[in-house]
Amino acid sequence: MTITIYHNPACGTSRNVLALIRSSGEDPCIIEYLKTPPSRAELVSLIARMGVPVRSVLREKGTPFHELGLDNPALSDDALIDAMMAHPILMNRPIVVTPLGAALCRPSETVLDILPNPQRGAFVKEDGEKIVDESGKRIS
């Protein structure tokens, strides 16, 4: 089975998602998108597979979002994608693709909705929040 994560190891949410994938018994393909950004066609495909607006994939915090004027509602999807291609840090993360779908996994427990295999035990996020119990069931 192939699971792919577009990952930023400096991001706590991304690290939690990677750990949740591994906790389900999977060894994902890890793409550090800041080092190896997706092509334009791949990015467009990811957004389409997630079924979300292009704007929802844009990250504001810690990026040149405001400096580039990306908060302008008149900007087209193509212009926003152009910005993400020029500045991969603008891509929100982590994006995960599994046989069950693709999702922007924020918050990190969102990944549980698209993992084919259940968790193999308890899981606690880096911040101490318990999201999976000892039996591998999601805590609401």
Side-chain angles (χ1 to χ4, degrees):
M1 181 174 325
T2 302
I3 294 177
T4 301
I5 179 172
Y6 291 83
H7 179 60
N8 179 348
C11 171
T13 300
S14 199
R15 290 191 304 269
N16 282 321
V17 169
L18 179 57
L20 281 162
I21 294 168
R22 288 178 169 154
S23 181
S24 76
E26 295 294 332
D27 185 23
C29 171
I30 301 168
I31 299 173
E32 289 189 32
Y33 69 92
L34 294 176
K35 293 179 182 176
T36 311
S39 69
R40 182 183 181 84
E42 289 169 328
L43 180 58
V44 169
S45 175
L46 282 170
I47 293 167
R49 289 178 73 186
M50 290 187 289
V52 298
V54 172
R55 283 197 178 277
S56 71
V57 181
L58 279 171
R59 181 170 178 81
E60 292 182 41
K61 184 179 171 186
T63 74
F65 179 89
H66 292 289
E67 292 86 346
L68 295 171
L70 298 177
D71 52 347
N72 179 348
L75 289 175
S76 68
D77 287 351
D78 282 337
L80 299 174
I81 290 169
D82 288 343
M84 285 186 270
M85 296 307 305
H87 306 277
I89 191 70
L90 287 166
M91 282 179 53
N92 214 340
R93 77 282 182 155
I95 295 173
V96 177
V97 179
T98 78
L100 299 180
L104 173 60
C105 296
R106 298 188 76 81
S108 54
E109 53 270 27
T110 304
V111 75
L112 297 172
D113 298 333
I114 60 168
L115 288 178
N117 298 323
Q119 296 293 289
R120 298 185 300 176
F123 187 86
V124 179
K125 290 196 220 182
E126 289 180 2
D127 67 2
E129 180 185 357
K130 296 177 183 178
I131 59 171
V132 176
D133 68 18
E134 294 75 19
S135 68
K137 298 227 188 304
R138 186 180 193 160
I139 299 169
S140 300

